[in-house]
Amino acid sequence: MSEYAKNYTLVEIDQWFWSLFGEKVVLPKPEVVAEYVGSVPKDFRFSIKVPNAITLTHQYGKGQTEANPHFLSNDLMQDFLHLIEPMSKQINSLIFQFEYLNKQKMPNQMLFQDQLQKFYQKLPPKFHYCIEIRNQNYLNKPYFEFLQSMKLSHVFLQGYWMPSIFQVYGHFKEYIKGHTVIRLHGPDRKGIEQRTKNIWNAIVEPKDGELHNLKMMINDLIARQVKVTLNVNNHYEGSAPITIKRFLDLLLNDAFG
């Protein structure tokens, strides 16, 4: 981690997301939290995915018919925040990643928003809370009005069968204020793993057009005084570090060219 921090100023912590194992919930170990904090400078920032024990409506591996008793549990969230308190001053954002919510898991959008509102109202206000939804039919005016009223940040997810982030931003940009997160994942996780053989040192699926559109989107967000967090996955083009460099080169060429 210390070597990573020499080159980047932020990392997305994904490992604590995978937390629900049947009846067992696994939360961060204090020694791991301490290791993260101790290996980076004080101006380094963490973007953290909240445990899926909080965001899953139903248990894994049981036909997804058994309700998860920890779904949007404020008690479990309090336990999680207590464990990561040593890094609290360096947290950029806390991301709630919800899976695709079919009618069996969540009867309708309004019920989801009502449950999320009750949960959110009990959270400490000192963090940026960001919502990643994977129902494209939820991406509508009532949803963005809800986020805005709650002062929750939207997560733009590029990939996973979601509509283009540029299309979504074009429709709902007026509701994006304060802070937003952009996560670049790509549409074909298994396919790109086969092509790279899980060696992530080269671009195998270049997305020059998307990176150009991303530059325009981020420039517009910054002009509107919106704080932007950009998280890039290896699965987007084949190598996150190279994608980041390609994008930074685009920004620099725009600034000085």
Side-chain angles (χ1 to χ4, degrees):
M1 191 64 200
S2 58
E3 190 64 29
Y4 176 98
K6 293 178 183 178
N7 298 283
Y8 305 103
T9 59
L10 179 142
V11 71
E12 179 181 289
I13 300 178
D14 183 73
Q15 71 183 97
W16 297 329
F17 176 74
W18 305 101
S19 60
L20 187 62
F21 302 94
E23 303 299 324
K24 184 179 180 182
V25 175
V26 177
L27 293 178
K29 295 180 179 179
E31 59 269 25
V32 175
V33 175
E35 183 178 352
Y36 270 116
V37 174
S39 61
V40 299
K42 291 184 178 181
D43 60 350
F44 190 88
R45 294 294 178 263
F46 300 101
S47 185
I48 303 173
K49 284 171 64 176
V50 169
N52 67 351
I54 294 171
T55 60
L56 285 173
T57 60
H58 291 72
Q59 297 276 10
Y60 275 146
K62 297 185 178 181
Q64 295 194 333
T65 59
E66 185 173 329
N68 168 25
H70 309 289
F71 178 62
L72 294 180
S73 166
N74 286 102
D75 289 340
L76 185 58
M77 186 66 185
Q78 184 176 356
D79 291 342
F80 175 66
L81 292 178
H82 175 72
L83 288 167
I84 64 173
E85 176 61 29
M87 58 170 48
S88 62
K89 293 182 179 180
Q90 294 176 259
I91 293 176
N92 167 279
S93 51
L94 292 173
I95 298 173
F96 293 86
Q97 177 186 304
F98 293 93
E99 62 179 335
Y100 175 73
L101 299 171
N102 60 33
K103 295 292 185 180
Q104 288 71 41
K105 296 173 185 175
M106 186 62 61
N108 58 67
Q109 177 182 337
M110 292 302 105
L111 178 60
F112 170 73
Q113 291 178 191
D114 287 345
Q115 293 183 359
L116 182 57
Q117 180 175 354
K118 291 175 184 176
F119 170 77
Y120 172 69
Q121 287 173 337
K122 296 179 182 179
L123 297 182
K126 65 179 179 178
F127 298 112
H128 287 297
Y129 297 105
C130 309
I131 308 300
E132 179 181 306
I133 198 73
R134 296 192 174 187
N135 290 49
Q136 58 176 307
N137 57 334
Y138 280 21
L139 298 177
N140 50 36
K141 184 178 178 182
Y143 175 74
F144 282 97
E145 287 178 336
F146 166 75
L147 293 186
Q148 188 179 61
S149 67
M150 294 288 100
K151 296 185 178 179
L152 289 164
S153 297
H154 175 65
V155 175
F156 287 94
L157 174 65
Q158 186 73 339
Y160 288 103
W161 304 283
M162 294 298 288
S164 164
I165 60 174
F166 314 115
Q167 174 188 341
V168 176
Y169 182 65
H171 284 307
F172 301 107
K173 61 186 294 183
E174 64 186 286
Y175 299 101
I176 308 301
K177 298 179 180 179
H179 180 224
T180 194
V181 175
I182 300 172
R183 302 180 73 224
L184 302 182
H185 276 259
D188 186 12
R189 183 184 182 95
K190 289 185 178 179
I192 205 165
E193 286 177 354
Q194 291 173 351
R195 293 173 65 186
T196 62
K197 298 180 181 179
N198 285 314
I199 300 173
W200 308 102
N201 61 0
I203 299 298
V204 300
E205 192 172 322
K207 295 182 172 64
D208 294 31
E210 285 192 9
L211 292 181
H212 174 74
N213 290 337
L214 180 66
K215 178 189 74 173
M216 296 177 63
M217 177 179 171
I218 289 181
N219 282 340
D220 188 64
L221 284 162
I222 292 173
R224 297 176 54 241
Q225 298 184 325
V226 178
K227 178 182 177 181
V228 182
T229 298
L230 177 64
N231 298 339
V232 184
N233 192 285
N234 281 327
H235 293 86
Y236 183 65
E237 289 189 312
S239 174
I242 299 178
T243 296
I244 292 169
K245 183 180 184 305
R246 278 159 47 79
F247 182 65
L248 289 177
D249 287 344
L250 270 178
L251 288 180
L252 290 173
N253 287 338
D254 185 56
F256 298 106

